Amino acid sequence: MPQSKILVDTNSYLRLAQTIRPLLFVPFGDGEYCLYILPELNDELSNRRLKSKFPWVDEDEHTENRKHFPNIGRKQKKSIEDNFEFIWDYVQTELPGPSRVDALYIAYALELGIPVVTDDKDMTELAVAFEAQVMPTLELMKIMHDSNHTDLKTIKGIVDYWRAIGDCPANLHRDLKRFFPDL
Amino acid sequence: MKKRLNIQNASKAMQDAGLTQTAVAEQLSVSKEAVSQWLKEKSFPRPNKLLQFAKLLQLGFGELVINEEPNAPVIAFRKKAGAKTKNHHVEKAQETGRFLRHLVPYLPFDTLEMPPILKSPNCDYEYLCQVASKVRKEINLNETETVDFTHLIRRFSELQAVVVPVLWGTKNRHENAIHIHLPDSKTTWVYLNLDVNIHDFKFWMAHELGHCLSPSLSGNEAEDFADDFAGALLFPKILAEQALQDIKSKRTSAAKINKVIEIANKQVISPITVLGQVNKYAKHVGLPEIKLSNAFFGAVTNFNKKFDNLSEALLGETKELDAREFIKKTESSFETPFYDLLRRYLKENNKGAGFVQVVTDMPLLDAQSIHSELT
């Protein structure tokens, strides 16, 4: 069965990767789901200058896990670049908020026909405007739970940690009710 | 920015592909009327349909869409030594400028009056001396006192320029300062990398002040004026005249170099600025210029090594610095409204860290930390 690739954006990666280890490049469930980031995320995570809530991203275990990316051919690369031009222009003229890498995630998702996981309001709106598949982190956690890739205790721990460090997804309350009404 | 379809390219591509309006409509799941309206420039496709239309016609964004931006952000760079400015550097800075437009309504400046600017800025030596002298008076310094960057800060506010202090690191970057002017709001945004030595930083600040005083100039003319203004402000004619005599009085090249370094040390400016200003003065009065051996460049390197980067001097060890402290220290040191504008915009519009990253161009985790602190 072919893999069902899912792209996780920066925020979603930072919200999950410290607890669900390794987060990326591990197939799970009957659907052979497999999570990916884009190579550009690694550039984004490097060279920080200020104290961060996410110092663990520099640990070997995590940097190693971030070395796997979706394979794309030359034609797909060109198509992704074309998509990006349209998406980034729309950000600049109509929807300020997402960064260049955010826009690139949507460009990949469109070309590969795979969903992107994000909790960012503007990035979600951007995905919708271009008819890219998009889901919040808690929906991904629901898929992981349904695939026995993680359990409720872990999920509760993650959500509690988000609350503790003040890094909650935009629609945490709504999404919890929707995907984990028992939590 | 106004967008319209390139009808000529679209029509030709449809013709080449044998696509009628009806066929396009069917492929894109829109009405034939919608396609007709697009091609008559009566409406513009939604983003998803625009992209699908481009794919169908096999046209890139630049071939299908004409972007008209009469008030495009105007960019000037303070480049790192040896860096070449390419189109993508300008485009990236313009993208930042487009995001900055959203902060304009939050500016604390008087929007009714224009700030005082120079009538006809130029690089004539005597004219530059007059301008430098005037600016020195305005920042309460006499002709020989040392300019500190704190003296320059208030002038930026008075010229309605927003200083944006950023940490861009010391390597792998094309520029260490960017000046973005938004013609529609007549606002100016000056990005200053704090990860540079104090002498360079002070020169760039003076250079950027030169840009703020001369918005009528552009391109090389603007850069030349800003450079010449910075030199004249930091090391005015009276100091250059005295320095020329002092340096000339030394018999050996090594002693001359030591004298330049000594003067630079006293004025807290680069030895290169000292030598440059001395030679400009010499040329102006018809005297021979000072020529130093190559050992001068080694002496400058050693001179620079003695000083911390401004970020270290101002902020301490930044790896231990959190976003709150960074914002607090830069707000107070540079009297900048930037982070307050950003705070208000982010909160009122519920924007994410992506916006912070684009308008600061700082690494993502830093942008996240700043976003988290501001919201």
Side-chain angles (χ1 to χ4, degrees):
Chain A
M1 188 178 179
Q3 261 187 10
S4 303
K5 293 185 176 68
I6 298 175
L7 287 172
V8 283
D9 87 336
T10 315
N11 285 322
S12 187
Y13 172 79
L14 293 172
R15 286 185 177 130
L16 296 176
Q18 193 186 11
T19 310
I20 300 172
R21 302 153 79 148
L23 179 72
L24 309 169
F25 206 57
V26 178
F28 59 89
D30 294 339
E32 285 283 299
Y33 299 107
C34 193
L35 307 182
Y36 285 87
I37 57 155
L38 298 184
E40 285 75 9
L41 176 67
N42 284 329
D43 302 333
E44 296 278 297
L45 293 179
S46 63
N47 303 321
R48 74 180 165 87
R49 299 298 314 282
L50 302 173
K51 200 189 270 183
S52 162
K53 286 176 183 170
F54 312 100
W56 50 266
V57 298
D58 298 329
E59 291 168 10
D60 290 348
E61 175 194 342
H62 295 289
T63 53
E64 276 301 312
N65 187 231
R66 289 199 306 269
K67 285 181 179 169
H68 306 285
F69 313 111
N71 281 327
I72 51 162
R74 199 186 300 170
K75 268 190 175 173
Q76 285 178 311
K77 186 170 185 279
K78 168 78 174 66
S79 183
I80 289 165
E81 285 166 3
D82 288 343
N83 292 348
F84 177 81
E85 292 282 306
F86 284 84
I87 295 165
W88 187 235
D89 176 79
Y90 184 68
V91 168
Q92 287 183 76
T93 53
E94 315 275 337
L95 185 67
S99 68
R100 289 182 79 94
V101 173
D102 294 337
L104 194 59
Y105 264 94
I106 308 291
Y108 265 81
L110 273 178
E111 176 57 26
L112 302 179
I114 60 177
V116 59
V117 183
T118 182
D119 297 310
D120 185 89
K121 175 182 77 78
D122 288 325
M123 202 169 155
T124 303
E125 204 176 309
L126 187 62
V128 170
F130 281 91
E131 293 183 302
Q133 300 171 58
V134 62
M135 68 170 90
T137 306
L138 277 167
E139 187 172 347
L140 170 64
M141 289 161 84
K142 170 81 173 150
I143 293 172
M144 289 173 148
H145 178 255
D146 292 348
S147 307
N148 294 320
H149 189 53
T150 191
D151 54 36
L152 269 183
K153 193 180 162 201
T154 306
I155 291 167
K156 187 175 182 311
I158 290 173
V159 173
D160 287 345
Y161 183 69
W162 294 345
R163 287 183 170 131
I165 66 166
D167 179 44
C168 294
N171 296 306
L172 177 65
H173 189 67
R174 187 199 67 188
D175 290 346
L176 266 179
K177 236 179 172 177
R178 186 170 156 208
F179 298 111
F180 298 102
D182 298 333
L183 275 188
Chain B
M1 204 186 305
K2 193 164 181 268
K3 277 185 283 194
R4 60 189 173 89
L5 284 184
N6 187 326
I7 303 300
Q8 202 179 346
N9 283 357
S11 302
K12 185 172 182 310
M14 281 172 64
Q15 202 177 346
D16 290 350
L19 288 165
T20 61
Q21 290 189 14
T22 308
V24 170
E26 276 172 13
Q27 295 264 359
L28 303 187
S29 306
V30 294
S31 66
K32 184 177 171 247
E33 179 65 14
V35 178
S36 167
Q37 296 280 315
W38 298 346
L39 296 173
K40 286 180 187 160
E41 292 194 65
K42 288 190 174 167
S43 69
F44 191 78
R46 298 279 308 145
N48 53 338
K49 297 302 169 191
L50 179 68
L51 179 55
Q52 288 165 14
F53 192 32
K55 297 255 173 186
L56 185 64
L57 303 186
Q58 296 187 322
L59 293 175
F61 182 82
E63 295 166 312
L64 183 60
V65 180
I66 297 171
N67 256 333
E68 287 164 344
E69 192 177 20
N71 285 316
V74 181
I75 309 300
F77 293 109
R78 183 70 199 167
K79 290 183 292 184
K80 289 185 85 164
K84 282 192 179 167
T85 300
K86 295 185 177 166
N87 280 347
H88 70 90
H89 294 122
V90 177
E91 281 163 18
K92 192 176 170 199
Q94 286 188 321
E95 288 165 8
T96 304
R98 290 184 196 112
F99 271 51
L100 288 174
R101 283 191 183 127
H102 300 282
L103 302 183
V104 170
Y106 301 88
L107 280 169
F109 302 142
D110 182 345
T111 51
L112 297 176
E113 286 185 3
M114 284 282 288
I117 54 172
L118 296 170
K119 273 184 186 167
S120 40
N122 63 77
C123 291
D124 174 75
Y125 187 83
E126 286 299 338
Y127 173 79
L128 284 163
C129 291
Q130 280 181 37
V131 174
S133 183
K134 182 177 181 298
V135 172
R136 276 184 165 262
K137 269 187 201 140
E138 286 163 354
I139 58 179
N140 297 321
L141 285 180
N142 68 30
E143 290 292 313
T144 57
E145 280 178 297
T146 301
V147 179
D148 189 0
F149 78 87
T150 52
H151 294 123
L152 302 174
I153 285 162
R154 194 144 298 152
R155 284 301 288 145
F156 279 98
S157 306
E158 286 161 8
L159 290 165
Q160 301 191 355
V162 181
V163 172
V164 186
V166 283
L167 296 169
W168 284 342
T170 52
K171 290 175 190 165
N172 304 326
R173 207 173 162 102
H174 157 265
E175 72 280 319
N176 268 322
I178 309 181
H179 181 105
I180 300 177
H181 180 68
L182 305 179
D184 38 359
S185 58
K186 295 187 172 57
T187 55
T188 297
W189 307 73
V190 179
Y191 284 74
L192 295 167
N193 182 10
L194 304 184
D195 289 324
V196 294
N197 79 50
I198 180 74
H199 311 109
D200 285 347
F201 187 82
K202 209 198 293 190
F203 190 88
W204 293 333
M205 264 197 111
H207 173 102
E208 293 304 325
L209 190 56
H211 278 307
C212 293
L213 288 165
S214 60
S216 59
L217 301 181
S218 62
N220 288 340
E221 207 184 4
E223 295 307 315
D224 290 346
F225 173 78
D227 267 350
D228 287 357
F229 166 78
L233 180 71
L234 297 176
F235 201 69
K237 182 180 175 184
I238 189 169
L239 291 175
E241 185 180 7
Q242 183 60 49
L244 178 65
Q245 286 175 18
D246 292 347
I247 299 164
K248 270 171 79 176
S249 70
K250 302 294 172 190
R251 285 198 294 179
T252 65
S253 180
K256 287 181 199 291
I257 290 171
N258 284 341
K259 190 69 197 173
V260 174
I261 299 288
E262 181 192 317
I263 296 168
N265 208 18
K266 192 175 166 201
Q267 290 293 323
V268 201
I269 57 177
S270 167
I272 291 171
T273 306
V274 173
L275 186 63
Q277 289 309 112
V278 165
N279 282 338
K280 274 181 191 160
Y281 170 77
K283 194 176 171 192
H284 177 67
V285 295
L287 292 170
E289 294 180 19
I290 303 279
K291 298 224 182 320
L292 299 176
S293 67
N294 284 342
F296 176 62
F297 299 104
V300 173
T301 306
N302 288 335
F303 174 84
N304 287 336
K305 278 182 192 164
K306 286 192 292 182
F307 299 89
D308 280 343
N309 277 347
L310 184 68
S311 55
E312 288 157 8
L314 197 70
L315 307 168
E317 176 49 64
T318 51
K319 283 272 184 214
E320 296 306 314
L321 187 76
D322 61 24
R324 179 175 298 184
E325 279 295 298
F326 170 72
I327 293 166
K328 198 174 142 195
K329 285 185 179 177
T330 50
E331 274 184 334
S332 82
S333 300
F334 293 94
E335 297 178 23
T336 174
F338 179 73
Y339 288 105
D340 188 50
L341 307 177
L342 198 51
R343 178 184 290 117
R344 290 163 58 201
Y345 174 75
L346 294 172
K347 277 188 176 172
E348 283 183 24
N349 297 279
N350 194 18
K351 292 289 171 186
F355 189 92
V356 178
Q357 197 188 11
V358 175
V359 292
T360 62
D361 203 17
M362 282 175 54
L364 177 82
L365 287 178
D366 291 342
Q368 277 225 333
S369 303
I370 290 171
H371 177 269
S372 174
E373 178 53 34
L374 293 177
T375 54

